[in-house]
Amino acid sequence: KLWVIPRPGVKPILLAEGFKAAADICLDPSGQNILVPDMTNGTLTAVPIKIPGWELDDSPLPLETAVAFPDLKWTGWKGETDTGKIVPIRPIVLTHAGDGSNRVFVATEQGVVHVFPNDQAAKETRIFLDIQDRVSYNDNQNEEGFLGLCFHPKYKETGEFFVFYTPKYQMVPKGKKADMKNRVSRFKVSKDDPNKADPASEEVLLSFDKPYWNHDGGTICFGPDGYLYVVHGDGGAGNDPHENGQNLNTHLGKILRIDINKKEEGRNYAIPKDNPFVGKTDVKPEIWSYGWRNIWRMSFDRKTGQLWAGEVGQNLWEEINIVQKGGNYGWNRRESQHPFGEKGVAQNDQMIDPIWEYHHDIGKSITGGHVYRGSRLPELDGWYLYADYVSAKIWALKYDETKKRVVANRPIKDRAAPIL
């Protein structure tokens, strides 16, 4: 008999039977069939991977990507230095202000935020904010820099927006370790020009001490509750050597939730009273969920309010999660749906597994996206669009709330360009 386990915790399902002496199985070159050799019968049987009750549509969508602003020039950016060294621009966030102005804001990892009309015929940008003087960015350490940007839900009234960035390292004596940090700050638009922010208006809200340069996370976004959600990775290196993911007394390896409309207890923000760990001893009250390695982009479904996160894996697996209040997502005891390392554990009720995973044969660094709620492509309504930075592949994923599982993961024709 040939059995299949759709995912950890689910009972095995019979896929095929009648073999006399089945030997080692493997996939065929298409990846769509399991090959079963039968030593007694002298046969090789191809069994389609179609699991009863777990059917999945992975057929390509009849869509393809296109350049949105083909004639756009980035003000102030030169593609190379005077000596001919190539300088990548690295646009890292594309968003809007929610103020009805129909403007697009693009932040670059170097520390510049550009603004331009949401018009495919747009010719050039204006510089909305330039804080390169305080942002640390190096092409060889490109998980640092300007990593997050979002606007106050009432930006039209407040003129406030928020950024996540790596401040420049402080000078240290030779042989000493640099003081590495990340920072979440509030800025304000200038009083006399809506297309220009005031770089002197910075107010630091959160400061993270980190042991290594990588796994910074950096997504910041407002939830439907009006609170600011902030993600920071586990602190870097490999295997989470300081075990920050499972340590509730650090902000590293966590999603945080704060109230930026109030200030209390010496902070430039307040702690929402319904945060899951408020009042607990030796636990950071800002924590919303934990057990994260390095979420690279999270977003709220603007219709359902669900928080989606793309979690970058280490050895073998990339994953997609729907985030629950107070949830433990397993790192570094689990990588996606699998035990990880010497302290790895099996699937259990205390840790939440992702709704979807893919192997490093397919891609090696997920870029989480958004649940599409636009009007131009109604066939994508409710589909989660995401990509992989290394393989440059793009997919649309459909999660069925009734069945509590993914029912489709369909590729979209890409342009073979890295997706930051």
Side-chain angles (χ1 to χ4, degrees):
K1 296 180 179 180
L2 176 64
W3 300 83
V4 59
I5 301 174
R7 60 179 290 136
V10 176
K11 293 182 179 180
I13 296 172
L14 182 64
L15 204 58
E17 59 183 330
F19 304 107
K20 298 294 184 182
D24 294 341
I25 60 175
C26 67
L27 291 176
D28 75 350
S30 73
Q32 302 299 310
N33 300 282
I34 298 174
L35 300 180
V36 184
D38 190 323
M39 294 183 292
T40 298
N41 287 332
T43 59
L44 182 64
T45 303
V47 181
I49 306 177
K50 295 189 180 299
I51 308 170
W54 290 79
E55 291 80 9
L56 178 80
D57 183 0
D58 58 1
S59 61
L61 278 165
L63 299 170
E64 62 180 287
T65 59
V67 176
F69 306 100
D71 301 321
L72 194 65
K73 293 183 179 179
W74 302 93
T75 299
W77 173 70
K78 295 181 180 179
E80 60 182 36
T81 66
D82 294 337
T83 59
K85 180 182 178 181
I86 295 175
V87 181
I89 188 170
R90 293 189 69 83
I92 203 79
V93 181
L94 184 150
T95 188
H96 62 90
D99 60 354
S101 64
N102 199 33
R103 292 175 296 170
V104 174
F105 294 80
V106 175
T108 69
E109 206 165 349
Q110 289 92 340
V112 180
V113 180
H114 296 259
V115 61
F116 54 93
N118 184 21
D119 182 349
Q120 291 190 7
K123 300 297 184 182
E124 64 179 348
T125 70
R126 290 187 61 181
I127 294 178
F128 179 71
L129 177 71
D130 186 345
I131 54 171
Q132 293 180 91
D133 61 341
R134 67 200 80 170
V135 172
S136 176
Y137 175 76
N138 186 318
D139 286 340
N140 295 324
Q141 295 183 185
N142 60 18
E143 290 183 39
E144 294 183 317
F146 191 115
L147 301 177
L149 168 69
C150 66
F151 289 80
H152 194 289
K154 295 182 179 179
Y155 176 74
K156 194 171 183 178
E157 301 170 20
T158 68
E160 296 178 352
F161 62 97
F162 301 82
V163 307
F164 182 115
Y165 72 95
T166 308
K168 288 186 181 296
Y169 297 165
Q170 298 297 316
M171 296 298 293
V172 296
K174 188 175 182 180
K176 297 288 186 179
K177 187 176 181 180
D179 183 23
M180 293 187 286
K181 297 180 181 293
N182 280 313
R183 177 181 294 170
V184 176
S185 293
R186 182 197 325 254
F187 284 85
K188 293 184 178 181
V189 69
S190 65
K191 295 179 180 180
D192 55 359
D193 187 349
N195 286 319
K196 192 171 184 59
D198 179 4
S201 66
E202 180 176 11
E203 177 186 55
V204 178
L205 302 183
L206 289 166
S207 183
F208 302 88
D209 292 315
K210 56 174 187 158
Y212 310 104
W213 65 268
N214 58 339
H215 300 183
D216 290 7
T219 301
I220 53 175
C221 56
F222 282 94
D225 51 17
Y227 293 128
L228 181 66
Y229 290 72
V230 179
V231 65
H232 198 293
D234 64 9
N239 306 311
D240 190 10
H242 303 284
E243 301 200 344
N244 289 321
Q246 293 298 311
N247 180 4
L248 289 172
N249 200 23
T250 175
H251 289 143
L252 303 182
K254 313 294 186 299
I255 295 176
L256 311 179
R257 178 182 185 243
I258 62 174
D259 183 350
I260 51 79
N261 293 314
K262 299 178 183 177
K263 298 181 181 181
E264 63 181 14
E265 299 181 9
R267 307 182 184 100
N268 287 328
Y269 61 90
I271 306 294
K273 303 304 181 186
D274 61 342
N275 271 10
F277 302 105
V278 167
K280 296 184 179 295
T281 304
D282 293 327
V283 177
K284 299 295 185 185
E286 295 89 348
I287 295 174
W288 181 253
S289 67
Y290 65 107
W292 299 107
R293 180 178 181 269
N294 191 36
I295 292 175
W296 187 242
R297 299 320 181 198
M298 64 182 186
S299 64
F300 285 92
D301 181 339
R302 67 187 188 192
K303 180 177 180 179
T304 68
Q306 288 180 321
L307 178 57
W308 290 68
E311 165 81 323
V312 179
Q314 178 172 305
N315 291 348
L316 292 173
W317 303 98
E318 305 298 303
E319 59 184 272
I320 296 172
N321 296 270
I322 296 179
V323 182
Q324 299 178 24
K325 175 181 179 179
N328 179 358
Y329 287 80
W331 181 253
N332 64 355
R333 303 296 188 265
R334 289 177 67 72
E335 182 182 47
S336 191
Q337 300 180 45
H338 313 271
F340 178 85
E342 295 180 355
K343 297 181 180 180
V345 297
Q347 189 268 344
N348 61 83
D349 294 337
Q350 284 72 49
M351 296 178 178
I352 302 172
D353 277 353
I355 62 165
W356 186 252
E357 68 177 14
Y358 63 89
H359 192 270
H360 279 187
D361 286 347
I362 296 170
K364 294 184 177 181
S365 183
I366 190 170
T367 298
H370 295 264
V371 175
Y372 183 82
R373 295 296 180 186
S375 58
R376 290 190 178 184
L377 299 170
E379 66 270 31
L380 286 182
D381 182 57
W383 292 66
Y384 180 69
L385 305 178
Y386 72 101
D388 188 271
Y389 172 63
V390 175
S391 67
K393 294 178 180 179
I394 306 171
W395 298 269
L397 178 141
K398 183 68 172 179
Y399 182 76
D400 189 310
E401 279 288 348
T402 303
K403 297 178 180 178
K404 299 297 179 185
R405 69 174 182 87
V406 172
V407 295
N409 186 59
R410 305 182 66 182
I412 296 173
K413 187 176 181 181
D414 60 76
R415 303 180 67 82
I419 297 173
L420 300 180

